[in-house]
Amino acid sequence: MLAGTPIGQAGDAPPRLAQELAGADVVAAEDTRRLKRLTTDLGITLSGRVVSYFEGNEQARTPVLLEALLAGERVVLVTDAGMPSVSDPGYRLVAAAVEADVRVTAVPGPSAVLTALAVSGLPVDRFCFEGFLPRKAGERSRRLESLAREERTMVFFEAPHRTEAALEAMAAALGDERPAAVCRELTKTHEEVVRGGLRELADWAAEGVRGEVTVVVQGAAPTAAVENTPEALREAVAEREGGGMSRKEAIAAVAKLAGVPKREVYDVVHVR
């Protein structure tokens, strides 16, 4: 069982969380010290055994937990905050359990993703979760460039010491004026939501950011489809090349908008 845990306030824990933890045969925790604090806050005592399950031992410990599940034991997995497997340990165990035909269920709980979306003030009818951006500048820029035309609202997690660099990269790839919100320390005493364009937010972050950070960025405006005629295809590719895209990237983008194979656009652009 995956059990969502509070992202800040222990009082946000669903009543069923205490019940499931107290009755588990095995509790796998990302940080056993945080688990101890949580059980103290919930006023419960664990009767089952506690094991650590974090990024460093997830691969090795998954078979052990699967063996416990196959033996009929009730295993509850918790991470430091939020839902296991969402940018946290858990995916490997879920995949292994599903493969072994073991039932997987969850105790729903608070979510930084949904909480940030709800308070961001940005469109939430369609959204995507992008997790943490790559740490290396080049990889981060390439990832963001691939999202430049994403029309859904995007949600990112970020470390506080990398927030300024992430917002700078977002402004460069998505535009200085793209609306966004930086949500810091959600549900905690020092909760803060700062809204504005990406350039404005990058300047704000230059003063230093502390705590857990979730960034919500509005999606791109819908792009009009490209007419499937030689003239329109060539003009669309030339326009994107003029905007800084490589010819290969421009051809791929135009092919997608026109709903035709890339080879067809290539042939039109390179016709002699």
Side-chain angles (χ1 to χ4, degrees), residues 75-101:
V75 177
V76 175
L77 172 62
V78 294
T79 52
D80 292 347
M83 182 60 67
S85 83
V86 181
S87 277
D88 272 333
Y91 166 75
R92 285 189 175 92
L93 182 57
V94 172
V98 170
E99 179 68 22
D101 201 26

Side-chain angles (χ1 to χ4, degrees), residues 16-247:
R16 189 168 149 231
L17 175 61
Q19 176 186 337
E20 295 294 346
L21 286 172
D25 298 306
V26 182
V27 178
E30 183 177 12
D31 187 327
T32 56
R33 292 166 299 181
R34 290 202 182 192
L35 172 64
K36 184 177 177 62
R37 288 199 294 270
L38 177 62
T39 56
T40 299
D41 289 338
L42 297 178
I44 61 173
T45 300
L46 300 181
S47 58
R49 64 187 185 278
V50 175
V51 299
S52 63
Y53 189 76
F54 58 96
E55 184 178 0
N57 72 356
E58 185 179 3
Q59 187 168 355
R61 187 140 287 173
T62 292
V64 178
L65 293 177
L66 180 61
E67 185 177 342
L69 288 167
L70 291 171
E73 293 188 285
R74 191 165 185 79
V75 177
V76 175
L77 172 62
V78 294
T79 52
D80 292 347
M83 182 60 67
S85 83
V86 181
S87 277
D88 272 333
Y91 166 75
R92 285 189 175 92
L93 182 57
V94 172
V98 170
E99 179 68 22
D101 201 26
V102 173
R103 180 172 179 264
V104 178
T105 186
V107 177
S111 163
V113 175
L114 296 180
T115 303
L117 279 166
V119 302
S120 69
L122 300 173
V124 297
D125 54 326
R126 298 174 65 230
F127 67 89
C128 59
F129 175 56
E130 289 294 324
F132 286 92
L133 288 169
R135 295 184 182 186
K136 294 183 178 179
E139 294 177 6
R140 181 170 56 222
S141 295
R142 286 190 289 274
R143 173 76 60 81
L144 289 168
E145 286 166 6
S146 74
L147 295 170
R149 300 312 310 165
E150 173 58 64
E151 296 179 11
R152 295 171 294 179
T153 295
M154 296 166 280
V155 184
F156 303 86
F157 286 163
E158 195 50 85
H161 63 281
R162 290 198 299 269
T163 299
E164 180 189 0
L167 290 168
E168 288 281 359
M170 288 178 184
L174 309 180
D176 288 348
E177 302 305 318
R178 179 77 70 92
V182 178
C183 306
R184 188 181 70 84
E185 293 289 85
L186 285 170
T187 78
K188 300 176 184 176
T189 302
H190 300 291
E191 175 179 296
E192 181 179 23
V193 180
V194 184
R195 304 172 181 87
L198 286 171
R199 166 51 48 203
E200 180 184 356
L201 292 175
D203 292 342
W204 165 82
E207 298 179 7
V209 178
R210 293 184 178 182
E212 302 291 333
V213 175
T214 305
V215 180
V216 186
V217 182
Q218 184 168 307
T223 304
V226 175
E227 187 179 354
N228 184 16
T229 66
E231 294 78 11
L233 294 175
R234 278 194 289 269
E235 286 180 10
V237 170
E239 180 182 346
R240 283 157 180 76
E241 285 188 284
M245 281 190 179
S246 68
R247 175 160 291 189

